Amino acid sequence: MTLRFPEGFLWGAATSAYQIEGGADEGGRGPSIWDTFSHTPGRVIGGDTGDVATDHYHRYRADVGLMESIGLNAYRFSVSWPRVIPDGDGAVNQRGLDFYRRLVDALGEADIEPLVTLYHWDLPQALQDRGGWMRRQTAFDFARYAEVVFGALHDRVTLWSTLNEPYVAAHLGHYAGWHAPGTTDVQAMMSAQHHLLLGHGAAVAAMRAIDPARRQGIVLNLEIPVATGDSPAVLDGTRRVEGLLDRSFTDPVLAGRYPSDVIADLAPARFPVEPGDLEVISTPLDWFGVNYYRQWFITEAGMGDLPLSEFPGCGHVSATTAGQETTDMGWPITPQGLIDVLTWLVDRYPGHPPFMITENGCAFDDPVAEDGTIDDRRRIDYLRRHLAGLHQVIEDGIDVRGYFAWSLLDNFEWASGYSKRFGLIQVDYDTQARTLRNSARWYAGVIAANGIDAPPLR
Ligand code: IFM
């Protein structure tokens, strides 16, 4: 049975600057917090860094050719702030802007619609030295950077996203300490979160002032946790995870408030809200991006196999993958969760803008066969099942305009370095040779048919 998607559906793949570009010291780029973090011993598995990554900075034309060969009609990438404004708030580096201009032009020639993300976690180190996202001024520095990039590219780029996954930047970067800048403090987390969101709103306003016809959005990672029992601890833990991961981002952006239970749970730490901030943060958007990978199944402390240490105040619960297939990240494969998250959004925020699935994918490392092919049937199965779920919600009337597989290429998977492979395309890091996995060929068929041959969702 072929499940067809709406006419004009965007079929893309996604990447981010630090994960693929390399060229860390080239073209006038300044250092970012991820350069500092990855060069700090013990922070990234294997001591890996993004210095070279997939060398996309030099190979972008060939990479656009690979996108064309898959038939992508959209490509989501991020701009490196320190490539464009090396010290964060000073002089603009024209060579940095030129790189993105060339990339956007190459995409245009290939008839691939660009979706530009302005911030995918690579804050200029110079701004971090002055407090980074914990400092209010960084929000306005971000808006100015957005204005600079938008000014250079808005003639060619319709789709804009301010932030990618501010949860990860704020919570994993400032509370768990697993991501740059590696801070471990609840107040730092809350300040970073609020200033990221304020920067989002301020950037949207700045870009709309230049050209209101472009389509502004944000990308959040959302996963609605599931309680595996009804004990008070499990119910409370599930509420807390949902509050920290989902509502404390969706409520300010889509409803102009922070959730009162999260505020109470985290006190005496606080979101440093000033008058007018929530109006700025909740400025209406043209589209809303959801990154979806896995679900959290909440159980009693000690009963689960996944720690919940990234969630403050959740020591009384853990997460379990019992009975679930998992990816190389240890994440359960739960396509139903994609349906749950979109349904949750629609129910909770009646005035929501159209959605796009801006990331979805899995890490699996399958060998190259003698004939040169890579049989990654687990990735195909993952993608097919999630697309079947997506098709179901679209049939149910939810307005979803596009889907971006994570990722186009294997790349620098943050604290996991190069040890986890998410690509439709395999990268040999010794030679930088690219090989299309079978999933890339399968995805090409999906795009050509604008649909999937899908068994029912399992
Ligand atoms: O690689 C990341 C990406 O940068 C953001 N979303 C999740 C991906 C997989 O962990």
Coordinates of all heavy atoms in Angstrom, one line a residue, residues 104-188:
V104 N 24.0 28.5 -0.8 CA 22.6 28.8 -1.1 C 22.4 28.9 -2.7 O 21.4 28.4 -3.2 CB 22.1 30.1 -0.4 CG1 20.9 30.7 -1.0 CG2 21.9 29.8 1.1
D105 N 23.4 29.4 -3.3 CA 23.3 29.5 -4.8 C 23.4 28.1 -5.4 O 22.7 27.8 -6.3 CB 24.5 30.3 -5.3 CG 24.3 31.8 -5.1 OD1 23.1 32.2 -4.7 OD2 25.2 32.6 -5.3
A106 N 24.3 27.2 -4.8 CA 24.4 25.9 -5.4 C 23.1 25.1 -5.1 O 22.6 24.4 -6.0 CB 25.5 25.1 -4.7
L107 N 22.4 25.4 -4.0 CA 21.1 24.7 -3.7 C 20.1 25.2 -4.7 O 19.3 24.5 -5.3 CB 20.7 25.0 -2.3 CG 21.5 24.3 -1.2 CD1 21.2 24.9 0.2 CD2 21.2 22.8 -1.2
G108 N 20.2 26.5 -5.0 CA 19.2 27.1 -6.0 C 19.4 26.5 -7.3 O 18.4 26.1 -8.0
E109 N 20.6 26.3 -7.8 CA 20.9 25.7 -9.1 C 20.3 24.2 -9.1 O 19.9 23.8 -10.1 CB 22.4 25.7 -9.4 CG 22.9 27.0 -9.8 CD 24.4 27.1 -9.6 OE1 25.1 26.1 -9.6 OE2 24.8 28.3 -9.4
A110 N 20.3 23.6 -7.9 CA 19.9 22.2 -7.9 C 18.4 22.1 -7.6 O 17.8 21.1 -7.4 CB 20.6 21.4 -6.8
D111 N 17.7 23.3 -7.5 CA 16.3 23.4 -7.2 C 16.0 22.7 -5.8 O 15.0 22.0 -5.6 CB 15.5 22.6 -8.3 CG 14.3 23.3 -8.6 OD1 14.1 24.5 -8.1 OD2 13.5 22.8 -9.4
I112 N 16.8 23.0 -4.9 CA 16.6 22.5 -3.5 C 16.3 23.7 -2.6 O 17.1 24.6 -2.5 CB 17.9 21.7 -3.0 CG1 18.1 20.5 -3.9 CG2 17.7 21.3 -1.5 CD1 19.4 19.8 -3.6
E113 N 15.2 23.7 -1.9 CA 14.8 24.8 -1.0 C 15.7 24.8 0.3 O 15.6 23.8 1.0 CB 13.3 24.7 -0.7 CG 12.9 25.6 0.4 CD 11.6 26.3 0.0 OE1 10.8 25.8 -0.7 OE2 11.5 27.5 0.5
P114 N 16.4 25.9 0.5 CA 17.1 25.9 1.8 C 16.2 26.3 3.0 O 15.3 27.1 2.9 CB 18.1 27.0 1.5 CG 17.6 27.8 0.4 CD 16.6 27.1 -0.3
L115 N 16.5 25.7 4.1 CA 15.9 26.1 5.4 C 17.1 26.4 6.3 O 17.9 25.5 6.6 CB 15.1 24.9 6.0 CG 14.2 25.3 7.2 CD1 13.2 24.2 7.5 CD2 14.9 25.7 8.4
V116 N 17.3 27.7 6.6 CA 18.4 28.1 7.4 C 18.1 28.2 8.9 O 17.2 28.8 9.3 CB 18.9 29.5 6.9 CG1 19.9 30.1 7.8 CG2 19.4 29.4 5.5
T117 N 19.0 27.5 9.6 CA 18.9 27.6 11.1 C 20.0 28.5 11.5 O 21.2 28.4 11.1 CB 19.1 26.2 11.8 OG1 18.1 25.3 11.3 CG2 19.1 26.3 13.3
L118 N 19.7 29.5 12.4 CA 20.7 30.5 12.7 C 21.6 30.1 13.9 O 22.7 30.5 14.0 CB 20.0 31.8 13.0 CG 19.5 32.5 11.8 CD1 18.5 33.6 12.2 CD2 20.7 33.1 11.0
Y119 N 21.0 29.3 14.8 CA 21.8 28.9 15.9 C 21.7 27.4 16.2 O 20.6 26.9 16.7 CB 21.5 29.7 17.2 CG 22.4 29.4 18.3 CD1 23.7 29.8 18.3 CD2 22.0 28.6 19.5 CE1 24.6 29.5 19.3 CE2 22.9 28.3 20.5 CZ 24.2 28.8 20.4 OH 25.0 28.5 21.4
H120 N 22.7 26.6 16.0 CA 22.7 25.2 16.3 C 23.9 25.0 17.2 O 24.9 24.3 16.9 CB 22.8 24.4 15.0 CG 22.4 22.9 15.2 ND1 21.4 22.4 14.4 CD2 22.8 21.9 16.0 CE1 21.2 21.1 14.8 NE2 22.1 20.8 15.7
W121 N 24.0 25.8 18.3 CA 24.8 25.5 19.5 C 26.2 26.0 19.5 O 27.0 25.9 20.4 CB 24.8 24.1 19.9 CG 23.5 23.4 19.9 CD1 22.3 24.0 20.0 CD2 23.2 22.0 19.9 NE1 21.3 23.1 20.0 CE2 21.8 21.8 20.0 CE3 24.0 20.9 19.8 CZ2 21.2 20.6 20.0 CZ3 23.4 19.6 19.8 CH2 22.0 19.5 19.9
D122 N 26.7 26.7 18.3 CA 28.1 27.1 18.3 C 28.2 28.6 18.5 O 28.6 29.3 17.7 CB 28.7 26.7 16.9 CG 27.8 27.0 15.7 OD1 26.7 27.5 15.9 OD2 28.2 26.8 14.6
L123 N 28.0 28.9 19.8 CA 28.2 30.3 20.2 C 29.6 30.8 20.1 O 30.5 30.0 20.4 CB 27.7 30.4 21.7 CG 27.7 31.8 22.3 CD1 26.5 32.6 21.8 CD2 27.7 31.8 23.8
P124 N 29.8 32.0 19.6 CA 31.2 32.5 19.5 C 31.8 32.5 21.0 O 31.2 32.9 21.9 CB 31.1 33.9 19.0 CG 29.8 33.9 18.2 CD 28.9 32.9 18.9
Q125 N 33.0 31.9 21.1 CA 33.7 31.8 22.4 C 33.8 33.2 23.0 O 33.7 33.3 24.3 CB 35.0 31.1 22.2 CG 35.8 30.9 23.5 CD 35.1 30.0 24.5 OE1 34.5 29.0 24.2 NE2 35.1 30.5 25.8
A126 N 34.0 34.2 22.2 CA 34.2 35.6 22.8 C 33.0 36.0 23.6 O 33.1 36.7 24.6 CB 34.5 36.6 21.7
L127 N 31.8 35.6 23.1 CA 30.6 35.9 23.9 C 30.5 35.1 25.1 O 30.0 35.5 26.2 CB 29.3 35.7 23.0 CG 29.2 36.7 21.9 CD1 27.8 36.4 21.2 CD2 29.2 38.2 22.3
Q128 N 30.9 33.8 25.0 CA 30.9 33.0 26.2 C 31.8 33.6 27.3 O 31.5 33.5 28.5 CB 31.4 31.5 25.9 CG 31.3 30.6 27.0 CD 29.9 30.3 27.5 OE1 29.0 30.3 26.7 NE2 29.7 30.3 28.8
D129 N 32.9 34.1 26.9 CA 33.9 34.7 27.8 C 33.2 35.9 28.6 O 33.7 36.3 29.7 CB 35.1 35.2 27.1 CG 35.9 34.0 26.5 OD1 35.7 32.9 26.9 OD2 36.7 34.3 25.6
R130 N 32.1 36.4 28.0 CA 31.4 37.5 28.7 C 30.1 37.0 29.3 O 29.3 37.8 29.7 CB 31.2 38.7 27.7 CG 32.4 39.5 27.5 CD 32.2 40.6 26.5 NE 32.6 40.1 25.2 CZ 32.0 40.5 24.0 NH1 31.1 41.4 24.1 NH2 32.4 40.0 22.9
G131 N 30.0 35.7 29.5 CA 28.8 35.2 30.1 C 27.9 34.4 29.3 O 27.0 33.7 29.7
G132 N 28.1 34.4 28.0 CA 27.3 33.6 27.0 C 25.8 33.8 27.2 O 25.3 34.9 27.4
W133 N 25.1 32.7 27.1 CA 23.6 32.8 27.2 C 23.1 33.1 28.6 O 21.9 33.4 28.8 CB 23.0 31.5 26.7 CG 23.1 31.3 25.2 CD1 23.9 30.4 24.5 CD2 22.4 32.1 24.2 NE1 23.7 30.6 23.2 CE2 22.9 31.6 22.9 CE3 21.5 33.2 24.2 CZ2 22.4 32.2 21.7 CZ3 21.1 33.7 23.0 CH2 21.5 33.2 21.8
M134 N 24.0 33.1 29.6 CA 23.6 33.4 30.9 C 23.4 35.0 31.0 O 22.8 35.5 31.9 CB 24.6 32.9 31.9 CG 24.6 31.4 32.0 SD 25.8 30.8 33.1 CE 27.3 30.9 32.1
R135 N 24.0 35.7 30.0 CA 23.9 37.1 30.0 C 22.8 37.6 29.0 O 22.7 37.1 27.9 CB 25.3 37.6 29.5 CG 25.5 39.0 29.4 CD 27.0 39.2 29.1 NE 27.4 40.6 28.8 CZ 27.7 41.1 27.6 NH1 27.8 40.2 26.6 NH2 28.0 42.3 27.4
R136 N 22.0 38.5 29.5 CA 20.9 39.0 28.7 C 21.3 39.6 27.4 O 20.6 39.4 26.3 CB 20.1 40.0 29.6 CG 18.8 40.5 29.0 CD 18.1 41.4 30.0 NE 17.0 42.0 29.3 CZ 15.8 41.5 29.2 NH1 15.5 40.3 29.7 NH2 14.8 42.1 28.5
Q137 N 22.4 40.3 27.4 CA 22.9 41.0 26.1 C 23.1 40.0 25.0 O 22.9 40.4 23.8 CB 24.2 41.8 26.4 CG 24.8 42.5 25.2 CD 23.8 43.5 24.6 OE1 23.0 44.1 25.2 NE2 23.9 43.6 23.2
T138 N 23.4 38.8 25.3 CA 23.6 37.8 24.2 C 22.4 37.6 23.3 O 22.5 37.4 22.1 CB 24.1 36.4 24.8 OG1 25.3 36.7 25.6 CG2 24.4 35.4 23.8
A139 N 21.2 37.8 23.9 CA 20.0 37.7 23.1 C 19.9 38.7 22.1 O 19.5 38.5 20.9 CB 18.7 37.8 24.1
F140 N 20.4 39.9 22.4 CA 20.4 41.0 21.4 C 21.5 40.9 20.4 O 21.4 41.3 19.3 CB 20.3 42.4 22.2 CG 19.1 42.4 23.1 CD1 19.3 42.3 24.5 CD2 17.8 42.3 22.6 CE1 18.2 42.3 25.3 CE2 16.7 42.2 23.5 CZ 16.9 42.2 24.8
D141 N 22.6 40.4 20.9 CA 23.7 40.1 20.0 C 23.3 39.1 18.9 O 23.6 39.2 17.8 CB 25.0 39.5 20.7 CG 25.6 40.6 21.7 OD1 25.3 41.8 21.5 OD2 26.3 40.1 22.6
F142 N 22.5 38.1 19.4 CA 22.0 37.1 18.5 C 21.0 37.8 17.4 O 21.1 37.4 16.2 CB 21.2 36.0 19.3 CG 20.6 35.0 18.4 CD1 21.3 34.1 17.6 CD2 19.2 34.9 18.3 CE1 20.7 33.2 16.8 CE2 18.6 33.9 17.5 CZ 19.4 33.1 16.7
A143 N 20.2 38.7 17.9 CA 19.3 39.4 17.0 C 20.1 40.1 15.9 O 19.7 40.1 14.7 CB 18.3 40.3 17.7
R144 N 21.2 40.7 16.3 CA 22.0 41.5 15.4 C 22.6 40.5 14.4 O 22.6 40.8 13.1 CB 23.0 42.3 16.1 CG 23.8 43.2 15.1 CD 25.3 43.2 15.4 NE 26.1 43.8 14.4 CZ 27.4 43.5 14.2 NH1 28.0 42.7 15.1 NH2 28.0 44.0 13.3
Y145 N 23.1 39.4 14.9 CA 23.7 38.4 14.0 C 22.6 37.9 13.0 O 22.9 37.7 11.8 CB 24.3 37.3 14.8 CG 24.3 35.9 14.2 CD1 25.2 35.6 13.2 CD2 23.5 34.9 14.7 CE1 25.2 34.3 12.6 CE2 23.6 33.6 14.2 CZ 24.4 33.3 13.1 OH 24.4 32.1 12.6
A146 N 21.4 37.7 13.5 CA 20.3 37.2 12.6 C 20.1 38.2 11.5 O 19.9 37.8 10.3 CB 19.1 37.0 13.4
E147 N 20.1 39.5 11.9 CA 19.9 40.5 10.9 C 20.9 40.5 9.8 O 20.6 40.7 8.6 CB 20.0 41.8 11.7 CG 19.1 43.0 11.3 CD 19.3 44.1 12.4 OE1 20.4 44.6 12.6 OE2 18.3 44.4 13.1
V148 N 22.2 40.3 10.2 CA 23.3 40.3 9.3 C 23.1 39.1 8.3 O 23.2 39.3 7.1 CB 24.6 40.1 10.0 CG1 25.8 39.8 9.1 CG2 24.9 41.4 10.8
V149 N 22.8 37.9 8.8 CA 22.7 36.7 7.9 C 21.5 36.9 7.0 O 21.5 36.6 5.8 CB 22.6 35.4 8.8 CG1 22.5 34.2 7.8 CG2 23.9 35.3 9.6
F150 N 20.4 37.3 7.6 CA 19.1 37.5 6.9 C 19.3 38.5 5.8 O 18.9 38.3 4.6 CB 18.0 37.9 7.9 CG 16.7 37.9 7.3 CD1 15.9 36.7 7.2 CD2 16.1 39.1 6.8 CE1 14.6 36.7 6.7 CE2 14.8 39.1 6.3 CZ 14.1 37.9 6.2
G151 N 20.0 39.6 6.1 CA 20.2 40.6 5.1 C 21.0 40.1 3.9 O 20.7 40.5 2.8
A152 N 21.9 39.2 4.2 CA 22.7 38.6 3.1 C 22.0 37.5 2.3 O 22.3 37.3 1.1 CB 24.0 38.1 3.6
L153 N 21.0 36.9 2.9 CA 20.5 35.7 2.2 C 19.0 35.7 1.9 O 18.5 34.8 1.3 CB 20.8 34.4 3.0 CG 22.3 34.1 3.3 CD1 22.5 32.8 4.1 CD2 23.1 34.0 2.0
H154 N 18.3 36.7 2.5 CA 16.8 36.6 2.4 C 16.3 36.6 1.0 O 15.1 36.2 0.7 CB 16.2 37.6 3.3 CG 16.2 39.0 2.7 ND1 15.1 39.6 2.2 CD2 17.1 39.9 2.7 CE1 15.4 40.8 1.8 NE2 16.6 41.0 2.1
D155 N 17.1 37.1 0.0 CA 16.6 37.2 -1.3 C 16.4 35.7 -1.9 O 15.6 35.5 -2.8 CB 17.5 38.0 -2.2 CG 18.9 37.4 -2.3 OD1 19.4 36.8 -1.3 OD2 19.6 37.6 -3.3
R156 N 17.2 34.8 -1.3 CA 17.2 33.4 -1.8 C 16.5 32.4 -0.8 O 16.2 31.3 -1.2 CB 18.6 32.9 -2.1 CG 19.2 33.4 -3.4 CD 18.6 32.6 -4.5 NE 19.0 33.2 -5.8 CZ 20.2 33.0 -6.4 NH1 21.1 32.2 -5.8 NH2 20.4 33.5 -7.6
V157 N 16.4 32.8 0.5 CA 16.0 31.9 1.5 C 14.6 32.3 2.0 O 14.5 33.4 2.6 CB 17.0 31.8 2.6 CG1 16.5 30.8 3.7 CG2 18.4 31.3 2.1
T158 N 13.7 31.4 1.9 CA 12.3 31.7 2.4 C 12.1 31.2 3.8 O 11.5 31.9 4.6 CB 11.3 31.0 1.5 OG1 11.4 31.5 0.2 CG2 9.8 31.3 1.9
L159 N 12.7 30.1 4.1 CA 12.4 29.4 5.4 C 13.6 29.7 6.4 O 14.7 29.3 6.1 CB 12.3 27.9 5.2 CG 11.0 27.5 4.4 CD1 11.1 26.0 4.0 CD2 9.8 27.7 5.3
W160 N 13.2 30.3 7.5 CA 14.2 30.6 8.5 C 13.8 30.0 9.9 O 12.6 30.0 10.3 CB 14.3 32.1 8.7 CG 14.9 32.8 7.5 CD1 14.2 33.0 6.3 CD2 16.2 33.1 7.3 NE1 15.1 33.6 5.4 CE2 16.4 33.6 5.9 CE3 17.4 33.0 8.1 CZ2 17.6 34.0 5.4 CZ3 18.6 33.5 7.5 CH2 18.7 34.0 6.2
S161 N 14.8 29.5 10.6 CA 14.6 29.0 11.9 C 15.6 29.8 12.8 O 16.8 29.8 12.5 CB 14.8 27.5 12.0 OG 15.0 27.1 13.3
T162 N 15.2 30.3 13.9 CA 16.1 31.0 14.8 C 17.0 30.0 15.5 O 18.2 30.0 15.3 CB 15.3 31.8 15.8 OG1 14.4 30.9 16.4 CG2 14.7 33.0 15.2
L163 N 16.4 29.1 16.3 CA 17.2 28.2 17.2 C 16.9 26.8 16.9 O 15.8 26.4 16.5 CB 16.8 28.4 18.7 CG 16.8 29.8 19.3 CD1 16.3 29.8 20.7 CD2 18.2 30.4 19.3
N164 N 17.9 26.0 17.0 CA 17.7 24.5 17.1 C 17.8 24.0 18.5 O 18.8 24.2 19.2 CB 18.8 23.8 16.2 CG 18.6 22.3 16.3 OD1 17.7 21.8 15.7 ND2 19.4 21.6 17.1
E165 N 16.7 23.4 19.0 CA 16.7 22.7 20.2 C 17.4 23.5 21.4 O 18.4 23.1 22.0 CB 17.5 21.3 20.1 CG 16.9 20.4 19.1 CD 17.6 19.0 19.0 OE1 18.5 18.8 19.8 OE2 17.2 18.2 18.2
P166 N 16.7 24.6 21.7 CA 17.3 25.4 22.9 C 17.3 24.6 24.2 O 18.1 24.9 25.1 CB 16.3 26.6 23.0 CG 15.1 26.2 22.2 CD 15.6 25.3 21.1
Y167 N 16.5 23.5 24.2 CA 16.5 22.7 25.4 C 17.9 22.1 25.6 O 18.5 22.1 26.7 CB 15.5 21.5 25.3 CG 15.8 20.4 26.3 CD1 15.3 20.5 27.6 CD2 16.6 19.3 26.0 CE1 15.5 19.6 28.6 CE2 16.8 18.3 27.0 CZ 16.3 18.5 28.3 OH 16.6 17.6 29.2
V168 N 18.5 21.6 24.5 CA 19.8 21.0 24.6 C 20.9 22.0 25.0 O 21.7 21.8 25.8 CB 20.2 20.3 23.3 CG1 21.6 19.7 23.3 CG2 19.2 19.1 23.0
A169 N 20.8 23.2 24.3 CA 21.8 24.2 24.6 C 21.7 24.7 26.1 O 22.7 24.8 26.7 CB 21.6 25.4 23.7
A170 N 20.5 24.9 26.5 CA 20.3 25.4 27.9 C 20.5 24.3 29.0 O 21.2 24.5 29.9 CB 18.9 26.0 28.1
H171 N 19.8 23.1 28.8 CA 19.8 22.1 29.8 C 21.0 21.2 29.8 O 21.7 21.0 30.8 CB 18.5 21.3 29.7 CG 17.3 22.1 30.1 ND1 16.4 21.6 31.0 CD2 16.9 23.3 29.7 CE1 15.4 22.5 31.2 NE2 15.7 23.6 30.4
L172 N 21.4 20.7 28.6 CA 22.6 19.8 28.5 C 23.8 20.6 28.6 O 24.9 20.1 29.1 CB 22.6 19.0 27.3 CG 21.4 18.0 27.1 CD1 21.7 17.0 26.0 CD2 20.9 17.3 28.4
G173 N 23.8 21.9 28.2 CA 25.0 22.7 28.2 C 25.2 23.4 29.5 O 26.3 23.8 29.9
H174 N 24.1 23.7 30.3 CA 24.3 24.5 31.5 C 23.8 23.8 32.8 O 24.1 24.3 33.9 CB 23.5 25.8 31.4 CG 24.0 26.7 30.3 ND1 23.7 26.5 28.9 CD2 24.8 27.8 30.3 CE1 24.3 27.4 28.2 NE2 25.0 28.2 29.0
Y175 N 23.1 22.7 32.7 CA 22.8 21.9 33.9 C 23.5 20.5 33.9 O 24.2 20.2 34.9 CB 21.3 21.7 34.0 CG 20.9 20.9 35.2 CD1 21.1 21.3 36.5 CD2 20.5 19.5 35.0 CE1 20.9 20.5 37.6 CE2 20.3 18.7 36.1 CZ 20.5 19.2 37.4 OH 20.2 18.3 38.5
A176 N 23.3 19.7 32.9 CA 23.9 18.4 32.8 C 25.4 18.6 32.6 O 26.2 17.7 33.1 CB 23.3 17.6 31.7
G177 N 25.8 19.6 31.9 CA 27.3 19.8 31.6 C 27.8 18.9 30.5 O 29.0 18.8 30.3
W178 N 26.9 18.2 29.8 CA 27.4 17.2 28.8 C 27.7 17.9 27.5 O 28.3 17.3 26.6 CB 26.4 16.1 28.5 CG 25.9 15.4 29.7 CD1 26.7 15.2 30.8 CD2 24.7 14.7 29.9 NE1 25.9 14.4 31.7 CE2 24.7 14.1 31.2 CE3 23.5 14.5 29.1 CZ2 23.6 13.4 31.7 CZ3 22.5 13.8 29.6 CH2 22.5 13.2 30.9
H179 N 27.2 19.1 27.3 CA 27.5 19.9 26.1 C 28.1 21.2 26.5 O 28.1 21.6 27.6 CB 26.1 20.2 25.4 CG 25.6 19.1 24.5 ND1 25.0 19.3 23.3 CD2 25.6 17.7 24.7 CE1 24.7 18.1 22.8 NE2 25.0 17.2 23.6
A180 N 28.7 21.9 25.4 CA 29.3 23.2 25.7 C 28.2 24.2 26.2 O 27.1 24.1 25.7 CB 29.9 23.7 24.4
P181 N 28.6 25.0 27.1 CA 29.9 25.3 27.7 C 30.3 24.3 28.9 O 31.3 24.5 29.4 CB 29.8 26.7 28.1 CG 28.4 26.9 28.6 CD 27.6 26.0 27.6
G182 N 29.4 23.4 29.2 CA 29.8 22.4 30.3 C 29.5 22.9 31.7 O 30.1 22.4 32.6
T183 N 28.6 23.9 31.8 CA 28.2 24.4 33.1 C 27.2 23.4 33.8 O 26.5 22.7 33.1 CB 27.6 25.8 33.0 OG1 28.4 26.6 32.2 CG2 27.3 26.5 34.3
T184 N 27.2 23.4 35.1 CA 26.3 22.5 35.9 C 25.6 23.2 37.0 O 26.0 23.2 38.1 CB 27.1 21.3 36.5 OG1 28.2 21.8 37.2 CG2 27.6 20.4 35.4
D185 N 24.6 24.0 36.6 CA 24.0 24.9 37.6 C 22.5 25.2 37.1 O 22.4 25.6 36.0 CB 24.8 26.2 37.7 CG 24.2 27.2 38.6 OD1 24.2 26.9 39.9 OD2 23.7 28.2 38.1
V186 N 21.6 25.0 38.0 CA 20.2 25.2 37.6 C 19.9 26.7 37.2 O 19.2 26.9 36.3 CB 19.2 24.8 38.7 CG1 17.8 25.0 38.3 CG2 19.4 23.3 39.1
Q187 N 20.5 27.6 38.0 CA 20.2 29.0 37.6 C 20.8 29.3 36.2 O 20.2 30.1 35.4 CB 20.7 30.0 38.7 CG 20.4 31.4 38.4 CD 18.9 31.7 38.2 OE1 18.1 31.4 39.1 NE2 18.5 32.1 37.0
A188 N 22.0 28.8 36.0 CA 22.6 29.0 34.7 C 21.7 28.5 33.6 O 21.5 29.1 32.6 CB 24.0 28.4 34.6

